[in-house]
Each structure stands twice: as C-alpha cells, then as structure tokens.
Amino acid sequence: MKNFIKNQKGFTLVELVVVIAILGILAGLAIPRFMDATVSARGAKVAGDMRIIESAIMMQYAEKGTEPKNLQELVDNHYLAAVPEPIKGGSDFKIGDTTFTAKAGANYALTTTTNTPVRVTFDGNTIEYYLKGDTTKG
C-alpha cells in the first residue's frame, strides 16, 4: 500500500492555489485593457465612417461639380454603398486621448454654412472637433 501512495503523481493543494492566484492576477490586469479596446474600436468606427463619407462628398463634387444635399444622395449616386450605421446612443467612444459619449439618437449628417463646403457630422460635431478632444462643446 505504501508503494501505491508514493508512486501517485499529481498537484498539491498549494500548487493549485498558487496557479489560481496567478490566473486571477492576470485576469485582473487584462479585463480593463479589453474594456478600453472596445471604447477605442467604437471611436475608430466613428472616425472611419466620417472619413469615408467625406471622401464620397469629394468624389461627387469632383465628378459632378455639385455637393450632396443628404447622405442618401451619395448612396443613390453610388459614392457610398450604404449609409454607415452609427454607434448606439449612450455608448462611450474614444478618439485620440479623449473619450466622448454618443447622445441618444446620434447619427451621421451633412451640414453646411455660408461660404463653407458640405461637411459630415456625427452627433452634430465634425471630425476635427473629435480629434482636438474638445469636450467643452455639446
């Protein structure tokens, strides 16, 4: 019987507790990084969508000499495959070093003022607003 106990191989309780503690520490370090990655990914989507729409505006202007009146016109004229789907209202998104929160009903739109070309906005703000990290407005 003594030979049976000596030849038994396995992990001791102490070794298992140490491994579980190490895994807990690693998980505690990794989870916040993954949460920040989601916020950064939303920001990359917003910035990318705005750049794509601005490129479509420029292509229409270069080809037809007119600016679009709305996003659907860019789709109808085949400069966009579809109007980009905005992120959900209330979602945080990060562009640069600044985190913003999308308002309920936030959407992409085209705006223009006197003597300025048509610009794309998200939640009423241009891409430059987000890149500057201006949180004082809106």
Side-chain angles (χ1 to χ4, degrees), residues 25-129:
I25 291 169
L26 291 175
L29 295 173
I31 289 174
R33 292 190 186 271
F34 288 124
M35 296 304 285
D36 193 45
T38 303
V39 173
S40 294
R42 281 192 210 108
K45 179 194 179 341
V46 169
D49 287 349
M50 292 177 81
R51 296 287 188 203
I52 289 168
I53 295 169
E54 285 185 346
S55 294
I57 292 168
M58 287 186 244
M59 287 190 304
Q60 177 171 322
Y61 187 77
E63 189 174 302
K64 297 188 177 205
T66 61
E67 293 177 331
K69 307 223 180 339
N70 55 48
L71 291 172
Q72 190 57 45
E73 184 179 334
L74 292 171
V75 174
D76 295 343
N77 291 331
H78 306 290
Y79 296 108
L80 284 178
V83 176
E85 186 72 29
I87 62 174
K88 294 179 188 172
S91 297
D92 288 343
F93 62 101
K94 185 175 184 176
I95 297 178
D97 293 329
T98 308
T99 301
F100 302 91
T101 301
K103 293 178 187 155
N107 213 337
Y108 299 104
L110 299 182
T111 60
T112 188
T113 57
T114 308
N115 299 326
T116 61
V118 171
R119 295 298 311 272
V120 63
T121 60
F122 176 72
D123 207 6
N125 302 307
T126 62
I127 187 67
E128 289 81 12
Y129 167 85

